[in-house]
């Protein structure tokens, strides 16, 4: 199994190109199920989750052609309406085939995702919304069986804000009969990116970017061309790395407005940030200052940046409090960061971090995607060698991370 070996302490400088967003690419690939025409997609990132999604969609009969930066999907020949457990267990986002399959073909069988390292993550809101649209749903032997001759528009208020829940219901509603109103909709930029693609395919959606989406169903959607937005979490991860290690790096093909809350916190920590239309430059020369925050839905501080920012706080001058409000078990990185010399205590859903002068390299274990990224940041800043095991978590969501980090001066290599 691959591991990452990091020899820490190298200042980072130069330029990095940010990839397309994982969490936008995954629903957008599923939107290929909604039309028989070609969907032309640019800026799809090279990640394990994208390969898994393409494999799953291929099993359903979606034709996928990749040619340089262009991915072409064709859904004229969908032959299977099932997402099996073997695929769903490796990637929760597989649940995103449910809405499109049901809307276009009137039927779907999708494995229940089950819990994962960061929390129990049920999909009850996806099911509740589809039932409100007239779907008959039953659960048997770990599978969701859904049927509906034609989905009907409905007013749906989800119990909490759910990103993939909003995306699934949006993809169902665009082909439903009549008007659907999604209240309490997620406003994450990735939801907006999906909605913009659907509009380009002929969908009628109002309120894009707000928590109140109004969708008027159409009989069919047509092909379109769309470029996936930049990955704000990859962007934030590189910014935290530079803030923790020191240096001067420009991130290209990304936008600052995608992560305002995290940028504010980085400025509080002492990073100097400048940005243009499609780039962000980060400069860091001093020891970071401790910064407290709580994770919330967009446009608040993203839970997917909590672990990486915590690695920075570990080295900061002062004490910080980090509160996780989205997932009930997203502090798996704490024990591993403490093994590198951090001083973190947990009280309920808050981590109390007393800044230390340095990390000391050690073997550590990646436990989930963003926990892995926090260990990479810690390893880059640490004295000596850090060996990170189980980096398949990292490969799920980062596009050639060690290659990008090496290109700006990090001493990092993939070892067997
Ligand atoms: C592929 C993708 O886009 N993943 C992102 C998505 O995950 P995902 O869409 O799975 O996360 P949700 O927004 O749905 O989850 C938010 C909270 O709602 C709960 N919940 C959700 C749905 C439901 O039916 N019932 C329920 O109880 C979850 O357990 C969680 O506590 O948004 C998360 C929150 O920004 C991010 O961390 C993930 O990176
Ligand atoms: C939790 C994440 O992804 P997923 O929802 O795919 O598990 C993430 O991207 O940090």
């Amino acid at each position: 199994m691959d591991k990452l070996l990091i020899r820490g302490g190298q200042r980072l400088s130069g330029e990095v190109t940010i990839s397309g967003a994982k969490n936008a690419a995954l629903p957008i690939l599923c939107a290929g199920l909604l039309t028989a025409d070609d969907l032309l997609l640019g800026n799809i990132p090279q990640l394990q989750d994208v390969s898994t999604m393409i494999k799953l969609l291929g099993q359903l009969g979606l034709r996928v052609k990749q040619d340089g930066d262009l991915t072409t999907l064709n859904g004229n020949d969908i032959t299977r309406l099932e997402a099996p457990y073997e695929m769903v267990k490796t990637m929760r986002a597989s649940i995103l085939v449910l809405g499109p399959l049901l809307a276009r073909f009137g039927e779907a069988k999708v494995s229940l995702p089950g819990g994962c390292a960061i929390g129990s993550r049920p999909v009850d809101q996806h099911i509740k919304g589809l039932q409100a649209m007239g779907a008959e749903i039953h659960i048997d032997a770990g599978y969701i069986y859904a049927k509906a001759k034609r989905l009907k528009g409905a007013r749906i208020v989800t119990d909490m804000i759910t990103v993939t829940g909003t995306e699934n219901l949006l993809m169902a509603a665009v082909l439903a009969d009549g008007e659907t109103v999604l209240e309490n909709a997620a406003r994450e930029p990735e939801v907006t990116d999906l909605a913009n693609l659907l509009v380009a395919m002929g969908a009628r959606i109002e309120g894009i970017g707000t928590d109140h989406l109004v969708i008027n169903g159409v009989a069919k959607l047509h092909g379109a061309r769309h470029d996936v937005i930049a990955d704000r979490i990859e962007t934030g991860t590189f910014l935290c790395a530079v803030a923790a290690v020191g240096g001067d790096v420009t991130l290209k093909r990304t936008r600052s407005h995608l992560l305002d809350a995290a940028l504010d916190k980085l400025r509080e920590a002492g990073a100097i940030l400048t940005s243009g239309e499609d780039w962000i430059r980060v400069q860091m020369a001093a020891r970071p200052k401790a910064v407290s925050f709580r994770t919330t839905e967009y446009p608040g501080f993203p839970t997917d940046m909590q672990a990486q920012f915590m690695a920075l706080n570990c080295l900061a001058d002062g004490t910080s409090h980090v509160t996780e409000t989205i997932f009930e078990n997203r502090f798996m990185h704490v024990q591993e960061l403490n093994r590198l010399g951090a001083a973190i205590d947990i009280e309920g859903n808050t981590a109390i971090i007393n800044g230390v002068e340095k990390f000391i390299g050690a073997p550590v274990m990646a436990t989930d995607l963003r926990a892995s990224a926090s260990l990479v940041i810690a390893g880059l800043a640490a004295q000596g060698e850090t060996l990170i095991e189980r980096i398949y978590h990292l490969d799920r969501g980062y596009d050639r991370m060690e290659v990008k980090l090496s290109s700006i001066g990090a001493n990092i290599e993939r070892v067997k």
Side-chain angles (χ1 to χ4, degrees):
M1 235 187 285
D2 287 5
K3 301 171 187 170
L4 280 181
L5 177 62
I6 306 175
R7 295 181 185 90
Q10 315 297 322
R11 198 178 167 275
L12 303 175
S13 75
E15 289 185 347
V16 171
T17 300
I18 296 300
S19 301
K22 163 178 91 74
N23 289 348
L26 297 175
I28 280 173
L29 286 166
C30 293
L33 295 170
L34 287 166
T35 176
D37 296 346
D38 278 358
L39 211 53
L40 275 56
L41 303 172
N43 212 24
I44 296 284
Q46 289 179 38
L47 322 163
Q48 191 51 51
D49 271 9
V50 164
S51 307
T52 306
M53 184 60 88
I54 287 176
K55 191 167 163 204
L56 169 62
L57 295 170
Q59 286 179 3
L60 305 182
L62 190 85
R63 282 195 297 274
V64 183
K65 209 171 73 197
Q66 284 172 296
D67 185 10
D69 188 39
L70 194 68
T71 303
T72 306
L73 310 181
N74 184 280
N76 189 33
D77 203 12
I78 304 297
T79 46
R80 195 174 165 199
L81 306 175
E82 176 184 348
Y85 177 65
E86 288 64 42
M87 304 297 287
V88 181
K89 75 175 181 201
T90 62
M91 186 186 60
R92 299 181 51 80
S94 314
I95 189 75
L96 286 165
V97 302
L98 178 61
L101 286 179
L102 189 58
R104 183 160 162 227
F105 302 100
E107 206 178 317
K109 175 183 171 190
V110 178
S111 169
L112 276 168
C116 77
I118 62 175
S120 63
R121 306 183 74 181
V123 290
D124 55 306
Q125 300 303 305
H126 304 230
I127 294 172
K128 169 181 136 171
L130 294 171
Q131 282 173 330
M133 295 170 80
E136 277 174 36
I137 298 186
H138 74 275
I139 304 206
D140 188 29
Y143 276 85
I144 304 168
Y145 291 82
K147 262 195 177 144
K149 226 179 191 155
R150 174 114 199 248
L151 290 170
K152 289 185 191 57
R155 183 167 178 275
I156 300 164
V157 188
T158 48
D159 296 4
M160 79 291 293
I161 299 173
T162 156
V163 174
T164 48
T166 302
E167 291 164 348
N168 237 339
L169 297 177
L170 187 57
M171 287 192 277
V174 289
L175 288 181
D177 207 4
E179 182 182 273
T180 299
V181 179
L182 295 182
E183 299 285 8
N184 210 18
R187 290 181 288 163
E188 269 63 8
E190 294 76 20
V191 177
T192 297
D193 202 32
L194 170 68
N196 287 336
L197 163 76
L198 294 171
V199 168
M201 294 168 72
R204 291 171 56 205
I205 308 171
E206 281 166 37
I208 294 176
T210 76
D211 60 0
H212 175 85
L213 294 171
V214 181
I215 304 111
N216 273 287
V218 295
K220 72 191 243 205
L221 294 176
H222 51 72
R225 147 109 231 192
H226 182 82
D227 286 325
V228 171
I229 54 163
D231 196 313
R232 64 194 165 103
I233 308 302
E234 187 194 22
T235 303
T237 302
F238 276 90
L239 294 176
C240 281
V242 178
V245 178
D248 182 351
V249 171
T250 299
L251 305 179
K252 298 187 304 178
R253 236 174 141 176
T254 186
R255 303 178 92 113
S256 60
H257 76 85
L258 293 172
L259 68 166
D260 286 326
L263 295 188
D264 284 350
K265 292 293 169 189
L266 280 163
R267 281 193 192 94
E268 265 184 63
I272 298 167
L273 297 169
T274 41
S275 59
E277 176 72 7
D278 63 351
W279 58 269
I280 306 174
R281 179 179 179 191
V282 53
Q283 294 165 281
M284 189 76 171
R287 183 179 179 194
K289 294 194 262 301
V291 176
S292 296
F293 62 89
R294 54 192 293 125
T295 61
T296 55
E297 294 87 0
Y298 189 82
F301 192 99
T303 175
D304 292 352
M305 279 303 304
Q306 180 254 107
Q308 303 89 311
F309 212 104
M310 195 184 294
L312 175 63
N313 267 337
C314 288
L315 293 171
D317 186 13
T319 299
S320 55
H321 289 68
V322 170
T323 303
E324 171 59 50
T325 75
I326 307 291
F327 292 110
E328 64 272 23
N329 190 29
R330 212 172 193 186
F331 282 146
M332 307 275 284
H333 40 287
V334 165
Q335 285 311 322
E336 298 302 293
L337 289 172
N338 281 346
R339 295 189 65 249
L340 294 170
I344 312 168
D345 289 317
I346 298 177
E347 278 181 19
N349 67 343
T350 298
I352 301 146
I353 303 136
N354 288 300
V356 295
E357 297 271 344
K358 56 179 190 291
F359 283 123
I360 307 280
V364 284
M365 187 94 84
T367 49
D368 66 72
L369 170 52
R370 307 304 169 184
S372 319
S374 82
L375 296 177
V376 171
I377 293 171
L380 292 171
Q383 276 182 6
E385 282 188 4
T386 299
L387 185 68
I388 308 179
E389 294 191 31
R390 300 201 181 162
I391 58 159
Y392 53 83
H393 292 293
L394 195 77
D395 292 334
R396 266 190 54 212
Y398 286 93
D399 188 349
R400 294 157 292 177
M401 190 191 224
E402 76 280 13
V403 176
K404 293 188 185 187
L405 282 169
S406 299
S407 77
I408 52 173
N411 189 331
I412 179 169
E413 61 179 310
R414 188 176 283 260
V415 294
K416 292 286 170 195

